[in-house]
Amino acid sequence: KVLDASTLSFGTRVRWFAICFVAGIVCSILGTALLWLPKGIKLFAVFYTLGNIAALASTCFLMGPVKQLKAMFDPKRLIATVVMLV
């Protein structure tokens, strides 16, 4: 099953988790640093958004996308998920 995290080995999942997580942090920090440039608000929006997407993708490698989405839309987390996506 393509969407199942178990099709990847544990080492591969952890490796891609780390890569995506670090990329997310770097993009978020870069976006924040670019905020002070002219037209920096647009660069901030792009890089900060990419950082958040990369950070979310990182946990998909550990849990799998279906389990990730089920956890995100759990009634306890629904408000936080909607706020983050909006």
Side-chain angles (χ1 to χ4, degrees), residues 12-77:
T12 302
R13 288 187 282 140
V14 170
R15 189 174 307 119
W16 279 103
F17 163 77
I19 290 168
C20 285
F21 191 73
V22 169
I25 291 172
V26 169
C27 283
S28 295
I29 291 172
L30 183 61
T32 303
L34 293 173
L35 189 59
W36 280 254
L37 294 177
K39 297 193 181 187
I41 196 79
K42 291 179 184 177
L43 293 171
F44 168 77
V46 169
F47 280 100
Y48 204 77
T49 300
L50 290 174
N52 281 325
I53 291 170
L56 279 173
S58 70
T59 57
C60 284
F61 280 106
L62 291 180
M63 304 173 68
V66 174
K67 191 173 180 184
Q68 172 81 17
L69 287 172
K70 284 181 183 176
M72 284 174 61
F73 289 99
D74 184 69
K76 292 181 192 175
R77 298 184 177 122

